[in-house]
């Protein structure tokens, strides 16, 4: 499997860039939340459903042995789960 | 194409549920942001990159004629773009 992007057909290149963007886009959110602890505007329902959904995409990728799906969703799962964890931790009522 | 979920093999069912969760999970975030206008904790970089990425997934689906990819990403694009729009609109500095 050649990892030379220029060797990829155009639509595969579009899929690769799409996967990189939708996966790595959660990194700036995780860093912002870690830095600011500002979670009031972040939806707990969204990150609960999204994290579960990405976890299922990972299982789906494993059943197919599809490495691009496995790698993209393992990364997204780690990032989404960290945002969910920070939402729960920083968002809890002071005792 | 039968839409009877019970007729689907298990891994296709997992993929269907994953797609529904990751797509619809943006709805509670959009509704929360619309209701609270609280965008300070939402990352502009995330939603810019994510919206672009989902747009590219939509193009990718169109090049393949893959209806599940087209429908899931068209919905996600609408939701992500609305959150991005609210982040820009509610987040702008008062004049």
């Amino acid at each position: 499997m050649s990892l030379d992007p220029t060797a990829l057909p155009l639509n595969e290149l579009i899929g690769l860039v799409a996967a990189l963007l939708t996966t790595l886009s959660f990194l700036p959110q995780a860093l912002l939340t870690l830095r600011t602890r500002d979670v009031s505007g972040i939806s707990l329902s969204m990150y609960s459903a999204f994290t579960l959904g990405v976890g299922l995409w990972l299982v789906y990728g494993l059943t197919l042995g599809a490495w691009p799906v496995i790698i993209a969703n393992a990364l997204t799962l780690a990032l989404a789960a960290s945002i969910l964890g920070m939402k729960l931790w920083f968002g809890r009522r002071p005792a």
Side-chain angles (χ1 to χ4, degrees), chain A residues 7-52:
Chain A
L8 288 175
L10 180 59
N11 72 330
E12 294 299 326
L13 193 58
I14 290 171
L16 178 65
V17 174
L20 284 172
L21 281 169
T22 47
T23 297
L24 297 178
S25 63
F26 286 88
L27 186 58
Q29 178 67 66
L31 295 175
L32 177 71
T33 304
L34 192 61
R35 188 163 43 83
T36 64
R37 301 184 168 218
D38 179 351
V39 293
S40 57
I42 291 177
S43 164
L44 180 60
S45 318
M46 169 182 159
Y47 276 92
S48 307
F50 189 81
T51 304
L52 178 58

